[in-house]
Amino acid sequence: MVYSNETMGYSPYCGDMVVNLRYTYEQYHGYASLLVCAFGSVANILNIAVLTRKEMVSPTNAILTGLAVADLLVMVEYVPFAYHMYLRPDNYPRSDRFSYNWSLFVLLHSGFSQAFHTISIWLTVTLAVWRYVAVVHPQINRIWCRMETTLSTIALGYLICPLICIPSYLTFNLISRVELLDAVGNRPSANRSDVVGPLRNVTLYFVNVSDLAATTCLSDIVFWVYSVVIKIIPCIALTVLSLRLICALLEAKQRRAKLTASSRKSADKERQTDRTTRMLLAVLFLFLITEFPQGILGLLTLLLGKKFFQDCYQNMGDVMDMLALVNSAINFILYCVMSRQFRNTFSLLFLPAWIPKSNAQGISLGNPTTTQVTQV
């Protein structure tokens, strides 16, 4: 269905195509997000189960476990939100749709998802830094990136990130409004031909911009924190680190070409370390693809003002949510495709006993200083 300018309002910044996309995709977002969340929740539970096995313990895998926990919580919490906002029938009573409990949940959803998504960003940046140190400065890796330091960094992320998001929590609150509804909780039409039972005054609750945000520069602070501190700066850092890692991979390839047959063991060690780096680079690139656009949109909102927010940012909200959910769900596939040790450990844990298990050698998902070869 194509929506006209009269029904939706003209969008000077992004054009009608973006508006049409929003209203078309909105019809499917609820079902699509539930499918992604269902798959992603199971996938992250499997990630946690595999990565916490004794033979898989390493600083890098500890970071990946913390990342899986944050992603899991984001997706589990998104399920009731998607049901309430997108999947309930149009005739669902207005008194229930805007009840205090559901409106409070929507308000809490905003803060919860923001906090744990920020934790995911923190851990992704940590993962990039850890891998960069391991590949480019292996001589100091054992000191800087040991397990104790890694666990402290993960715990710090879970503590600091919710605090960074405090301005966002203060931007919205609940407001109440009394409306005249019929006996089943619906608002009557103008001619009241569809009224069921006697009319009554009902207090409804809505998520709205707080007085603090409306009367101060808090909303600008929130967009600066969200777009620059949480999104753009980490994306720039990841881009730089990823490029350095790619250069390190190319240098390692050149070194291997110069190694003689007597140095075959060293060549194999570098090759397996490179595989781990490639897999982690894939994780980083997926993050950049999903996060950079959100940061740019937030920054443009700061520069261009409220009109851009209404025309572009809001119309892209569901698409950005889906990109973030896909990013949170897809790491399991990357691990299975790119890490033999992850596949072998997964098969030992979850495949039935009558299915033959592979005896191939597998590389560690992330021992950053040595190549961990495991016979399974």
Side-chain angles (χ1 to χ4, degrees), residues 94-351:
R94 186 173 175 82
S95 58
D96 291 336
R97 187 181 297 273
F98 297 103
S99 66
Y100 176 80
N101 290 337
W102 272 116
S103 295
L104 179 62
F105 169 77
V106 172
L107 178 64
L108 295 177
H109 158 81
S110 175
F112 183 91
S113 59
Q114 179 71 63
F116 279 90
H117 194 63
T118 305
I119 291 171
S120 295
I121 294 172
W122 173 288
L123 294 177
T124 304
V125 174
T126 302
L127 181 66
V129 172
W130 258 233
R131 197 62 197 170
Y132 173 79
V133 173
V135 172
V136 180
H137 302 289
Q139 65 277 7
I140 61 174
N141 181 64
R142 290 185 180 275
I143 301 174
W144 286 16
C145 303
R146 63 187 189 275
M147 182 61 77
E148 294 79 5
T149 306
T150 302
L151 295 178
S152 298
T153 304
I154 295 170
L156 200 62
Y158 274 83
L159 177 64
I160 289 179
C161 291
L163 299 179
I164 294 176
C165 297
I166 285 178
S168 179
Y169 310 151
L170 301 176
T171 304
F172 300 96
N173 62 6
L174 289 183
I175 63 169
S176 61
R177 187 170 70 216
V178 176
E179 291 190 6
L180 195 63
L181 305 179
D182 62 16
V184 296
N186 290 321
R187 187 162 53 187
S189 60
N191 57 17
R192 298 193 176 182
S193 60
D194 55 352
V195 172
V196 178
L199 297 178
R200 56 197 174 97
N201 287 323
V202 179
T203 302
L204 304 181
Y205 297 87
F206 304 88
V207 178
N208 196 32
V209 176
S210 66
D211 293 337
L212 181 62
T215 58
T216 65
C217 60
L218 178 61
S219 59
D220 289 339
I221 293 174
V222 168
F223 269 103
W224 274 110
V225 172
Y226 174 80
S227 63
V228 178
V229 177
I230 295 179
K231 299 288 184 179
I232 292 180
I233 291 178
C235 284
I236 292 174
L238 287 176
T239 301
V240 172
L241 291 171
S242 297
L243 291 175
R244 292 297 302 272
L245 286 172
I246 292 172
C247 292
L249 286 176
L250 295 176
E251 292 172 1
K253 184 177 180 179
Q254 293 174 353
R255 285 197 304 269
R256 282 199 304 272
K258 297 177 180 178
L259 291 175
T260 61
S262 60
S263 303
R264 187 179 302 275
K265 183 176 180 181
S266 297
D268 290 341
K269 177 180 177 181
E270 283 202 23
R271 187 177 295 109
Q272 292 175 1
T273 301
D274 290 351
R275 291 171 186 166
T276 302
T277 303
R278 290 192 189 99
M279 188 204 67
L280 297 181
L281 278 172
V283 174
L284 301 182
F285 286 150
L286 273 174
F287 174 86
L288 288 173
I289 291 171
T290 58
E291 299 299 330
F292 231 146
Q294 298 181 45
I296 296 299
L297 285 174
L299 184 60
L300 289 175
T301 298
L302 279 170
L303 299 177
L304 300 178
K306 183 178 180 180
K307 187 61 177 173
F308 179 86
F309 177 79
Q310 295 173 336
D311 292 343
C312 299
Y313 194 95
Q314 287 187 325
N315 287 324
M316 295 295 293
D318 290 342
V319 174
M320 290 191 294
D321 279 356
M322 178 54 66
L323 287 175
L325 291 174
V326 169
N327 181 52
S328 297
I330 206 169
N331 284 345
F332 174 78
I333 298 176
L334 291 178
Y335 303 160
C336 287
V337 170
M338 304 186 74
S339 172
R340 185 174 298 167
Q341 191 191 23
F342 185 92
R343 293 195 300 271
N344 292 340
T345 304
F346 175 82
S347 65
L348 288 173
L349 281 174
F350 297 107
L351 292 185

Side-chain angles (χ1 to χ4, degrees), residues 36 87 240 310 358 368:
V36 172
L87 298 180
V240 172
Q310 295 173 336
S358 171

